Amino acid sequence: MPKILIVGGGYAGFYTARKLEKWLRRGEAEVTMVDPLPYMTYQPFLPEVAAGSIEPRHAVVPHRRHLKTTTVVTAKVTAIDHATKTATIQPEVGDSWQVDYDIVVVTAGAVSRTFPIPGVADEAIGMKTIEEAVEVRDRILTNFDKAANLPAGPERDRLLTFVVVGGGFAGIEAFGEMRGLASSLLPLYPSLKFEDTHFHLIEAMGRIMPEVSLETSKWVIKDLAQRGAQIHLETQLKSAVGGVVELSTGESFESDTIVWTAGVMANPVLRGTDLPTDERGRMRVQADLRVINDDGVVEGAWGAGDVCAVPDLTGGGVGGFCVPNAQHAVRQAKLMAKNVVASLRGEDTKDYFHKNQGAVAGLGLYDGVFQSGKIAIKGFPAWLIHRGYHGMAMPMFERKARVFGNWITNFFWGRDTISLEASEEPRRAFEEFASRPK
């Protein structure tokens, strides 16, 4: 049987494997998917995980539970030699090995893109993985516990100052949810007041959320400002050394929580391949999602999602390419699975064409914004649209049920405000009291 190797198990990889399982005939091909994580993360839910509205395990989809005939390998692909059609796989424990394939499907996604700003690598945290979202939630909750025991002063201000860098959708949603969580915590801490909490959003451009109209983005700024947030437009982060945030405007303050959401870049896994990439490190593909180089189609190679430069045939994409988001990744994966099956059967492939249906963002509990063309919906109705859309877009029925179960439970009893930061050092309590030889 032809061997199909899927590199990456995020949106595009998971959906490609799912649809190949559906459309391949028995014995028509053998599918293997390799990813360092044993699950797919539904990234639109990361802000709600950070706010305690969704249990972290419910925002991910376990590969082995929901892929029935695909061989799942939890490891990294460190090299792809398409000339010989081999890939090198490195597990977390044990020696690496090579696998042969006939068709490679690269869906390795994207990682946080950072700049060489002093202190960012040491102090900041991203909002790209479920683990990062959990850390942000635990950091906020733990900082409130610490601050409640301190008198007013620099140390308390540092603990209660939260910074988000990046004013795109990811940054705004994280910022709004973090602000909402902090506000909901205040009644539990009588020694702290609303004025003691400080939220700063730093955006280098002159506006936020380029996916929506300028008027809508201004409404979001006003809405966040009314909730006690400070938006720094046309401002760059110059340094974050030691948690001291220095801005290009000359303003400076200390923060214990700096969240970085200022863009993504193609997964560096492509650096270990002989597959063609563009100047931004994205794999070059044509509209039917076949990999191409200067001489034309690269046989036996396909790609989709954030790791690829997929042409946007609607003309609405930045630079002529689809923007890196889940809306495109899922649809590209489904089409790519069909095209791979079609190519195996000698049938024609179809080009990817998807016109943006709109944008919806949650800004915290009961607050959101929705934009589709010239239609803009704000506040509570947009929040309902946000939850409805993403609740239904969550893969697998049992995952949907768990997420909706979280929301229903929270409606009656409020969000869970327990910090599990101690879980990062689970042996600390045991070690403290463990008997040792004299």
Side-chain angles (χ1 to χ4, degrees), residues 215 286 351 414:
E215 180 184 350
Q286 61 184 21
D351 288 346

Side-chain angles (χ1 to χ4, degrees), residues 235-246:
T235 303
Q236 295 178 343
L237 177 64
K238 305 299 289 185
S239 175
V241 175
V244 179
V245 177
E246 297 181 9

